Amino acid sequence: MKKAKILKKSLACLSATATILTSGIITSANAAVITEGKTNNYHNYAEALQLALCFYDANKCGDEVADDGYYSWRSNCHVIDAEIPLKPMSPMPTVGKGKTDDQLKTDQGLGAGDDGKTKPNLGDDDPTLYVGVNMSESFIEKNKKYLDPDGNGTLDLTGGWHDAGDHVKFGLPGSYSASTVGWGYYEFRDSYEELGLQKHVEDELRWINDYFMKATFMDDDGNVIAYCYQVGEGNNDHNYWCPPELQQDNTMVASSSCAVKRPAYFATEEMPASDQCAGAAASLAINYLNFKDTDPEYAEKNLKYAKALYDFAVKTHIEEWKPGMVPSNSSLGYDGGFYTSSYDYDELAWAAVWLYYCTENYDYIDDIIAVDDSKPISDSGSFDAEAQTGQQPSYAYTGYMKRIITDTGNCWQNIWVHCWDTVWGGVFAKLAPITNTARDWYIFRYNLEFWSGCSKTTDCSEWGYEPVHGHKYFGRDDYLWNMPMTCDKIADLPDSETSGDFIAKSPKGWAVVSGYGSARYNTAAGLCACVYAKTTGDETFLPWARAQMEYILGNNPMGYAYEVGYEYNFASHPHHRSSHCSATQSMDDPIVQVHTLWGALVGGPDLKDNHVDETKDYIYNEVTDDYNAGFCGDLAGLYHYYGTKGKVDEKENHIIEDFNMSENAIGYDQVDEDGNPLPVGYFVSAGKAQEKEDGIQLKLVLHNRTTNPPRFECDVKARYYFNIKELLDEGYGIDYIVPRIDYDQEAGYTNNKSHAVLSEPVKYDDKGTYYVDVTWKDCKFYGSRVYQFALTTKMDPETNIYPEWDSSNDYSYDDLVSFEDDNAASAITNKVTLYADDKLIWGVEPDGTTAEDVAPVASTTTTGNSSAPAGTTTTTTKANPSKTDEVAPNPSAGDANCDGQVDMSDIVLIMQSLANPDKYGLKGSDKNHITAQGEKNADVDTASKGVTSNDALRIQEFLLGNVKSL
C-alpha cells in the first residue's frame, strides 16, 4: 500500500502571521451572530447553496486534504488510515439485525449522533481492542491477493468524509449523503451550472465516490470480495474534542493525547452488510448519470462498481420471511450504536431504481415491486374482475417493497420522508414515473401533503404559506398496486374523507418530525417537493418549501439563519471539532469558534420555534454530512423555481463573488472571557512571583494555538531578557546569576519522555543585558506549556552575603503579572520573544527588532493550488513586503507606535492597548503606551469607529500584501 503523505510547514515561515486576527463583532458562548440593524436576505438560494457545498470540504479526510485547494485551515489528517493492519479484531463484532415495526415507531430515522451509544458495545472498557479489521484469519488468507496485493500487511483506506463534527467515516450516513447530494445535482444541474458551482459540486462528488471505489475490493472477475463501510470507532473517537489534524500518535493536546484507534469494518460474505453495500451502489449509480456526458470513462467506472456492489448486497442479504408477513433482516453493518440501520430493503430499492435509470433494465424495478400473483394469500370472493367491483384478492409482495407493504391489499404512508436510515422518500420519487401506478404516485404525494398540510381548523395565518388541508383520494388500497395512473390525473382526484394526518408544526409553521436535527428532515422534504414539481408539473408544494427555507435563512422567531455564515445573522457555534479548534479539548474554550464553518446546516429549532446556539448542544447544533445533503438539493430546486432569471426572487439571488472560504465571517474575533483580544498562533504569556532582593521567580507559558491549519510542529525556544548592570557596577559578573528550574509541565505530562531545557545566561549587549532561553525541542503538543524557573544571585564567598539585583528594570519584566496568589495567572507579552530555527516568530527584541524585520520575502498560495473551486480565489501573499513594494499613501497610516514604519509592533501595541488600557491605553502607565497620534494613525479600518481589533487586522493584511494600502 502507498505511504501516506504528510504536509510539513516550518515554524520559521510563521513569523509574519504569529498573531492572526479576525474581523467582526463579538459573540458569546451561547448566542448567534446578530448584526444590529441588518436583516438577512431570506431568498438568496444562490448564496446559501454556494456556502452549503463548503461544509463537505471541512469534513474531508485523508492524505490529500492539504492539496485540494479549498480550506486553508484544513490539512491532511488520519494518514494512519493508509496503514490499517490486516489482522482480525478480537473479539469480532456481530452482524446487525433489523428493527421491528414496534421499534421503528420510536426511533426510525434517528441516530445517536454525538450523544453516542445507549448500550455498551465491543471494546468499551478496552479501546485497544479497536484494532484491525472484522475479518477472520481464514478469510484474510483466502483473499489476501485481492486485499493486500503488495503484501505489506496493511490496507490503505485514506480519503472519504468525516461524518459530522467527529472523525469517524460512518457508512450509512456517508453513502446517503453522497447519493442525495448527487441526486440534487442530477435533478437541478441547471442551477449549479448557471451559478458557476458545477465544478465545486463535482469535486465533492468525485471525492466521496472515488473513496467508495477505493474501499471496494474485487476479484479477477470483477466480483466484490469486501467493501469497507466504516473507518474509526465512535465509542473511542467521541472521547476527544480536537481538530482531526491533531489525532496523531505520540502527541498531546492540552494534557492528554487525542490519538485514536482506527479499525476498519468490512462487508464480506462472512460479515455481511447489505445495507452498506447497497447505499454505496446507489451513490455510484447516480454519479454515473452525473458524469456520463462529460467524462464517460470515469462514469463507466462508477457504473461498474455500482453494479458489483449491488450484486454483492443482493448476494449477502439475509432475511426470514413468509409470504404476506413482515420480513426480518439480519445482514446489517456494524455502527457502534450511532447509526443503527432499521433494515436494508430501502437501500436495496434505492440502488435498484437508480441502476434502472443507468441501464433501463426493468429487472431492477422488478427487484423492488415484484408480486407473487400466482396464488392469493386472501380472497373475499366478492371481486368481480369484469366489473372491477368488490374487494380484490391480495397477493404477497416478493420485492423489497414487502418490508413496508406485505401484500397488495395494503398500502403505505411515508412520514419519514428521505433520511440516512429511510430512503423510501427518494425511492418513490424516482419509482412513480417509471411504474406509473396509483400506488407509487400516492405514496410520493402523500408524504408531501403530510409535511406541508394542516387541518382546516388550524390557525396558519403566521406561517407564510397556504398549506393543503387534505389528502388526495387515489382509491382503495387493494386497487392501487396495479392501477395505471399518470401524474396528470392526480389534480382531478377528490380529497380523502378519512385521511387527515399531518406533521406537527410550530407556532410559526416549522414542520418537525423530530426535535433532534429537525432541519435535516425538513430540507429533504423540500428537495422532494421540488422533484415532485419537476416530475409532475404540479407546483402545489413549492410555496411550502419556499417558506420553510425562508425560516431556515433567518425569517424565524430567533432572528437568525440556521446556516452558519449566511448573511448578517446566523448560528455560529456548530458542534464541530475542526471549526471550534480547541487547544484545551473543551467545548467551552475558545468561547468563539476559530473558523467559520461556512454553509453548515445546524440541527435547527424545536416545536416551540426555540433554538440554542451553543457548541456543546448537539441536539440543536450538531452538523453532519446528511444534514447538508438534502439542504443542497432543496436550495438548487428553489433557485430553479424562484431564483433564476425571470422568477420572483431573481433580484435577490447571487453568489458571493471572489469568495475566499478560508476567511471568517463577521463575529469571529478571538477573545477571552472578558472580551479582550486573544492571539492565535505561537505566543507567550508570563508571570512573576517571589520577588526578592537577590532574585525573582518567573513563569513562561508557551502557547501553540496554530489554526491555519492546527499542527504539532514544536521546536521553539522562548527568550527572557534581564539586566545585571547593578551587579556589574558592584564588581560582580554574570557568573553570580544562578538559574534554577522549579517546574516543567511538559516533563510532567509526558513522564519525562520530553522536557524543556533552560540555558545558561547569554550576553546580549554591553549595557548589562543578558538572556536565558527555554527550549522545547521535539515536544509535540498543542495548547500551552508552563515552565517556571528562578534567576537568583549566589553568595559572595568573601562577604557571605547575596549580592542585590534589581529585576524590575529588566526588559522582559514590564508585562509580568503576579502568580503568587493565583497560580494560573499570566499575561501575554511581546517582550519575551519566540524563535523557531533561530528565527524570531513572536515578540520584539530589546533593540526593536520584530518578526517582520527578519522574515524572508516569500510567496505562499493561500488556497493550496491553482485549481481553486468556483466561488473561491487563489491569491498570492507576501510576508513582510520590502520598501519597494506598495506602501500606504499616507506614511503615518498604521503607525500606531509612531516610530516611522508600519510593522508587527504596531499590531502588538493595538492589541495591548485594547487588552490592557490601564497600561497601554491613551493614558497608560507604560512608557510605550499608545498616544493620541498613535490612535489616529492606528484607526485605518473605515468600517469600524475608533481603534478596534479590525484595525490590527487591516494592518496585518497590508503587511501580508492582501490589501494595497491603509
Side-chain angles (χ1 to χ4, degrees):
M1 301 295 169
K2 69 177 183 178
K3 294 293 184 182
K5 296 182 295 181
I6 300 177
L7 180 71
K8 302 265 302 180
K9 294 185 179 180
S10 170
L11 286 181
C13 295
L14 296 176
S15 55
T17 55
T19 302
I20 301 173
L21 309 172
T22 56
S23 65
I25 59 177
I26 294 174
T27 63
S28 67
N30 60 349
V33 169
I34 300 292
T35 305
E36 188 175 351
K38 297 282 189 178
T39 58
N40 286 359
N41 176 352
Y42 305 135
H43 302 115
N44 192 353
Y45 320 113
E47 178 184 329
L49 177 59
Q50 178 187 27
L51 301 183
L53 289 172
C54 300
F55 177 74
Y56 293 101
D57 298 300
N59 271 31
K60 286 178 177 174
C61 180
D63 57 356
E64 297 180 355
V65 179
D67 302 319
D68 80 339
Y70 288 90
Y71 275 122
S72 64
W73 49 267
R74 283 300 327 283
S75 189
N76 296 343
C77 64
H78 299 119
V79 294
I80 58 172
D81 289 356
E83 298 177 349
I84 292 177
L86 187 55
K87 68 177 185 178
M89 295 179 183
S90 179
M92 199 74 73
T94 58
V95 176
K97 295 184 178 181
K99 300 174 184 177
T100 66
D101 282 347
D102 286 340
Q103 291 172 322
L104 294 183
K105 290 177 182 178
T106 58
D107 63 1
Q108 186 174 11
L110 296 177
D114 227 10
D115 187 25
K117 72 240 178 269
T118 55
K119 295 180 180 179
N121 290 280
L122 168 69
D124 283 353
D125 299 325
D126 185 4
T128 62
L129 293 177
Y130 297 122
V131 175
V133 296
N134 62 332
M135 302 177 190
S136 67
E137 195 67 64
S138 60
F139 182 89
I140 293 172
E141 191 59 35
K142 178 183 176 182
N143 298 285
K144 198 164 187 179
K145 64 175 290 190
Y146 307 116
L147 297 169
D148 186 18
D150 62 5
N152 73 346
T154 65
L155 298 167
D156 180 2
L157 293 167
T158 51
W161 289 336
H162 300 139
D163 169 60
D166 59 358
H167 307 134
V168 182
K169 294 184 281 195
F170 283 114
L172 212 55
S175 62
Y176 162 83
S177 302
S179 65
T180 302
V181 172
W183 180 26
Y185 184 44
Y186 172 81
E187 300 288 358
F188 300 107
R189 189 185 189 105
D190 58 327
S191 295
Y192 284 93
E193 290 178 344
E194 186 175 316
L195 294 170
L197 300 175
Q198 72 273 25
K199 184 182 186 303
H200 197 173
V201 71
E202 288 185 1
D203 284 352
E204 308 301 346
L205 294 173
R206 283 182 184 269
W207 181 279
I208 189 61
N209 285 286
D210 287 355
Y211 176 71
F212 292 154
M213 292 188 284
K214 180 179 184 178
T216 304
F217 297 79
M218 297 182 180
D219 64 16
D220 296 331
D221 297 322
N223 299 313
V224 173
I225 296 298
Y227 165 65
C228 180
Y229 58 85
Q230 179 175 321
V231 176
E233 175 52 59
N235 296 320
N236 195 4
D237 179 274
H238 287 197
N239 292 325
Y240 305 98
W241 187 261
C242 67
E245 291 82 0
L246 304 183
Q247 285 195 309
Q248 299 180 28
D249 291 334
N250 303 314
T251 58
M252 300 190 77
V253 179
S255 60
S256 64
S257 173
C258 279
V260 294
K261 304 298 181 182
R262 303 274 292 179
Y265 295 89
F266 284 80
T268 63
E269 286 191 31
E270 66 172 2
M271 296 290 287
S274 45
D275 54 340
Q276 307 281 356
C277 295
S283 179
L284 289 162
I286 297 170
N287 217 40
Y288 162 79
L289 294 169
N290 281 327
F291 285 93
K292 67 183 180 66
D293 296 328
T294 56
D295 192 345
E297 184 177 349
Y298 174 69
E300 285 296 332
K301 181 181 178 183
N302 279 263
L303 183 57
K304 171 188 173 183
Y305 276 83
K307 289 179 176 179
L309 281 166
Y310 176 75
D311 290 344
F312 189 65
V314 173
K315 178 181 179 181
T316 55
H317 166 76
I318 300 172
E319 65 179 27
E320 290 185 11
W321 171 69
K322 291 182 180 180
M325 304 297 290
V326 176
S328 62
N329 185 205
S330 58
S331 54
L332 307 178
Y334 170 88
D335 69 296
F338 294 86
Y339 289 97
T340 303
S341 180
S342 296
Y343 43 70
D344 65 358
Y345 297 91
D346 56 327
E347 281 84 25
L348 286 164
W350 185 231
V353 74
W354 283 109
L355 283 168
Y356 169 80
Y357 278 92
C358 295
T359 65
E360 296 187 357
N361 182 347
Y362 206 83
D363 289 345
Y364 288 116
I365 302 302
D366 282 336
D367 287 349
I368 305 170
I369 67 172
V371 173
D372 180 4
D373 58 3
S374 63
K375 181 181 179 181
I377 59 173
S378 66
D379 187 356
S380 68
S382 64
F383 175 63
D384 184 333
E386 204 169 293
Q388 288 289 302
T389 59
Q391 184 175 336
Q392 295 199 60
S394 298
Y395 302 99
Y397 280 106
T398 59
Y400 306 135
M401 203 174 286
K402 66 190 177 191
R403 183 58 186 80
I404 54 174
I405 314 175
T406 58
D407 60 79
T408 60
N410 297 285
C411 202
W412 184 65
Q413 296 174 343
N414 178 22
I415 67 167
W416 276 101
V417 71
H418 183 71
C419 65
W420 67 265
D421 183 35
T422 308
V423 290
W424 288 118
V427 170
F428 283 99
K430 301 311 296 176
L431 186 62
I434 299 171
T435 62
N436 274 315
T437 62
R439 175 200 61 206
D440 297 341
W441 284 118
Y442 162 70
I443 295 173
F444 186 11
R445 183 181 175 95
Y446 177 91
N447 181 254
L448 294 171
E449 293 168 337
F450 176 79
W451 273 80
S452 65
C454 68
S455 69
K456 294 179 180 179
T457 59
T458 302
D459 181 7
C460 54
S461 58
E462 296 187 34
W463 290 8
Y465 63 94
E466 182 57 38
V468 298
H469 296 294
H471 294 277
K472 289 290 186 180
Y473 181 66
F474 283 72
R476 282 190 0 212
D477 288 353
D478 57 338
Y479 277 81
L480 297 185
W481 72 280
N482 65 351
M483 181 188 296
M485 177 178 285
T486 52
C487 59
D488 58 306
K489 307 297 183 185
I490 299 175
D492 296 328
L493 294 175
D495 286 342
S496 171
E497 296 180 359
T498 58
S499 179
D501 292 335
F502 302 98
I503 200 170
K505 307 291 196 304
S506 75
K508 296 296 183 180
W510 177 250
V512 179
V513 73
S514 168
Y516 188 172
S518 63
R520 59 174 149 174
Y521 305 106
N522 193 296
T523 52
L527 168 59
C528 290
C530 292
V531 172
Y532 185 85
K534 176 188 174 186
T535 307
T536 67
D538 180 357
E539 299 184 359
T540 297
F541 307 109
L542 288 182
W544 170 81
R546 180 174 181 261
Q548 298 293 280
M549 189 57 71
E550 288 179 3
Y551 189 106
I552 288 172
L553 298 182
N555 189 15
N556 58 64
M558 300 301 295
Y560 55 80
Y562 294 117
E563 182 182 26
V564 177
Y566 181 76
E567 294 278 328
Y568 303 103
N569 311 289
F570 52 86
S572 64
H573 294 82
H575 188 78
H576 197 269
R577 290 157 176 80
S578 189
S579 64
H580 188 232
C581 202
S582 175
T584 58
Q585 292 203 51
S586 169
M587 297 183 201
D588 297 320
D589 179 28
I591 61 171
V592 176
Q593 297 212 353
V594 174
H595 305 293
T596 303
L597 192 63
W598 291 103
L601 180 68
V602 300
D606 56 27
L607 262 176
K608 296 181 179 179
D609 292 308
N610 184 55
H611 178 262
V612 178
D613 185 39
E614 190 170 328
T615 300
K616 59 187 175 185
D617 196 324
Y618 53 82
I619 299 297
Y620 288 103
N621 250 31
E622 187 161 28
V623 288
T624 77
D625 297 337
D626 70 284
Y627 285 22
N628 266 56
F631 185 43
C632 288
D634 191 4
L635 288 165
L638 290 171
Y639 178 79
H640 172 85
Y641 283 107
Y642 292 105
T644 192
K645 294 179 181 178
K647 302 296 184 179
V648 64
D649 296 328
E650 175 191 353
K651 293 182 179 180
E652 296 180 73
N653 271 265
H654 51 81
I655 62 170
I656 304 172
E657 297 295 340
D658 299 323
F659 175 51
N660 183 347
M661 57 197 279
S662 295
E663 293 182 355
N664 276 340
I666 57 173
Y668 281 78
D669 284 316
Q670 284 300 288
V671 294
D672 63 20
E673 59 187 4
D674 297 320
N676 295 319
L678 180 66
V680 295
Y682 283 89
F683 58 96
V684 180
S685 61
K688 59 186 177 180
Q690 297 182 4
E691 294 184 81
K692 299 180 179 179
E693 293 179 348
D694 59 349
I696 187 172
Q697 184 183 29
L698 300 162
K699 174 174 68 175
L700 302 185
V701 186
L702 171 64
H703 298 267
N704 174 4
R705 288 194 70 219
T706 52
T707 61
N708 203 31
R711 52 192 166 272
F712 286 115
E713 204 176 350
C714 192
D715 225 348
V716 182
K717 59 185 176 184
R719 181 165 294 173
Y720 184 88
Y721 296 90
F722 60 97
N723 189 282
I724 62 166
K725 187 176 184 302
E726 59 270 24
L727 291 178
L728 296 176
D729 290 344
E730 294 295 324
Y732 297 103
I734 189 62
D735 55 319
Y736 270 81
I737 294 292
V738 180
R740 183 189 76 224
I741 301 171
D742 293 337
Y743 175 63
D744 182 353
Q745 193 176 61
E746 171 69 11
Y749 281 166
T750 65
N751 200 21
N752 214 37
K753 291 180 180 178
S754 59
H755 57 87
V757 175
L758 179 65
S759 75
E760 293 295 321
V762 178
K763 185 177 181 179
Y764 177 78
D765 60 24
D766 293 330
K767 300 177 182 179
T769 304
Y770 285 77
Y771 63 80
V772 290
D773 286 335
V774 179
T775 302
W776 288 266
K777 186 173 180 59
D778 298 325
C779 302
K780 294 185 177 180
F781 68 85
Y782 191 82
S784 62
R785 287 294 181 269
V786 176
Y787 192 84
Q788 292 182 12
F789 65 101
L791 295 175
T792 63
T793 59
K794 66 180 180 180
M795 181 182 291
D796 184 336
E798 295 182 2
T799 62
N800 290 327
I801 63 173
Y802 292 91
E804 293 185 6
W805 165 49
D806 181 11
S807 59
S808 66
N809 61 4
D810 296 342
Y811 175 76
S812 295
Y813 178 91
D814 279 0
D815 296 328
L816 302 184
V817 295
S818 174
F819 64 91
E820 200 156 11
D821 298 323
D822 180 3
N823 195 52
S826 66
I828 296 172
T829 174
N830 69 335
K831 293 185 177 181
V832 176
T833 50
L834 276 181
Y835 302 83
D837 300 330
D838 288 324
K839 293 180 180 179
L840 182 64
I841 63 171
W842 167 264
V844 181
E845 294 178 340
D847 65 359
T849 301
T850 68
E852 281 65 40
D853 297 322
V854 297
V857 178
S859 296
T860 59
T861 303
T862 61
T863 53
N865 60 36
S866 59
S867 58
T872 68
T873 57
T874 303
T875 58
T876 302
T877 63
K878 289 185 178 182
N880 187 29
S882 66
K883 297 299 182 182
T884 59
D885 286 337
E886 296 193 60
V887 297
N890 177 4
S892 62
D895 185 13
N897 59 9
C898 301
D899 65 352
Q901 58 185 354
V902 178
D903 54 29
M904 187 69 178
S905 63
D906 297 298
I907 296 174
V908 172
L909 181 58
I910 292 172
M911 296 290 281
Q912 287 178 322
S913 69
L914 295 171
N916 192 349
D918 290 339
K919 187 171 183 178
Y920 293 103
L922 192 59
K923 297 180 180 180
S925 60
D926 190 270
K927 62 181 180 180
N928 294 317
H929 69 84
I930 198 167
T931 63
Q933 182 61 48
E935 281 194 340
K936 182 178 180 181
N937 296 346
D939 190 9
V940 295
D941 180 64
T942 57
S944 58
K945 187 178 181 180
V947 178
T948 70
S949 61
N950 290 351
D951 299 300
L953 171 65
R954 180 78 180 179
I955 296 171
Q956 183 190 39
E957 289 177 336
F958 168 69
L959 293 175
L960 293 174
N962 292 340
V963 296
K964 295 181 179 180
S965 63
L966 292 174

